[in-house]
Amino acid sequence: MDGFQGERVNTKAWGISTRVAIALAVAFSLVTLCLFFYEGVKLVASDICETRGQEPLVVSGILKIMSGSPLYTHPNDPPFDVMQYSPLYYYAAAAAASGGEFGPEHVTRAGRMLSILFSVLHMAVFFIILVRLLRVPIWLAIIAGSLVYVLHAPWDFLARPDALVSLLFITAIGLAIWAVDEQRNPTQQTIALLAGSVLGFTAFMTKQNGAQ
């Protein structure tokens, strides 16, 4: 470590200025984000009804709700379906799919559209937290948001509750950050922390696991 001194990277040594380097990084991030978003929209519009076994069980639960059957049944009453997740996403997707044709293709498409909507809201909240609450430069927030979206994208395009969990969790974090601001009065802080706690617990229970 002797002789080490922190220095800024000299982008001029590469023949470009710092401003140009930032502009290129932002442009690359936005193009990548748009490409992944396009792939998600293309998946929704496609006739692909199943991707590596990740959606059928969720879709079957949504269909049960739409048909008026109970989502969860007693193990002693066959046939017994093991519904992996808590009911929040199932009922949200069933509501989104209502009014259309009854079948796995329509339900899968509706569930994917709902997931993409949740993923866009997730990124919007994440961007607001970075720019408005943490005072991160806009260019850095764009790069960070694009990176997070790309990393989440494969799951956030499917008829699964992953995107909903991300939205609830990031909103809970945003409320916690907002609450600790010194400008908030005790009542505002209490309400924000309670709301964040509820959303965080809901996020945890939506998939009933501790990881995302």
Side-chain angles (χ1 to χ4, degrees), residues 35 47 52 67 88 104 112 128 140-141 148-149 157 160 163 170:
L35 287 175
D47 294 328
R52 299 176 60 186
S67 67
L88 181 58
R112 290 173 179 172
I128 292 173
L140 185 57
V148 171
Y149 190 83
F157 298 156
R160 288 168 46 91
I170 198 65

Side-chain angles (χ1 to χ4, degrees), residues 41-69:
V41 173
K42 188 168 67 173
L43 178 64
V44 171
S46 71
D47 294 328
I48 301 174
C49 293
E50 194 277 325
T51 53
R52 299 176 60 186
Q54 300 296 331
E55 298 170 291
L57 188 59
V58 178
V59 171
S60 68
I62 299 170
L63 287 169
K64 289 181 67 175
I65 293 174
M66 295 179 66
S67 67
S69 302

Side-chain angles (χ1 to χ4, degrees), residues 17-18 25 27-28 36 45-46 49 61 81 110 123 134 162 166-167 170 181 203 205 208:
S17 66
T18 302
F28 177 79
F36 271 77
S46 71
C49 293
D81 296 328
M123 284 299 96
L134 299 180
D162 304 88
S166 298
L167 173 61
I170 198 65
D181 192 309
M205 291 303 298
Q208 301 183 82

